[in-house]
Amino acid sequence: MIENELVCTGAMTNEGNGECRLQRMSVKKEFRGQGIASMMVRQLEERAKAAGYRNVVLETNIAWNSAVNLY
């Protein structure tokens, strides 16, 4: 949230066996390029670790350049 505006979203789902998946990550267009996505991924990683997950899965299509660059 920036000044009460939702600017990014992301989800973490349980894959079983101590593994979770980060998905549904998005940053509003007007807020991209400011490091918000990187902060969001770090926060999700920290939450995964705190929840006891040992592995985090990230997956995307190779043609989706913005996701590939982020990961």
Side-chain angles (χ1 to χ4, degrees):
M1 300 288 288
I2 296 178
E3 295 181 10
N4 293 323
E5 182 176 4
L6 182 64
V7 298
C8 68
T9 61
M12 176 177 56
T13 56
N14 184 351
E15 294 288 303
N17 296 322
E19 186 172 274
C20 70
R21 179 177 301 270
L22 301 187
Q23 56 191 24
R24 306 278 186 213
M25 292 187 286
S26 179
V27 176
K28 269 183 129 172
K29 282 186 181 182
E30 58 268 29
F31 290 92
R32 293 179 185 168
Q34 300 177 34
I36 293 171
S38 295
M39 287 187 284
M40 176 177 55
V41 170
R42 280 193 300 275
Q43 185 65 223
L44 287 167
E45 288 173 331
E46 288 176 19
R47 289 177 184 219
K49 184 177 181 179
Y53 291 108
R54 294 182 311 274
N55 295 307
V56 176
V57 175
L58 295 170
E59 187 174 52
T60 191
N61 182 312
I62 192 69
W64 201 348
N65 293 326
S66 60
V68 171
N69 290 335
L70 172 63
Y71 299 165

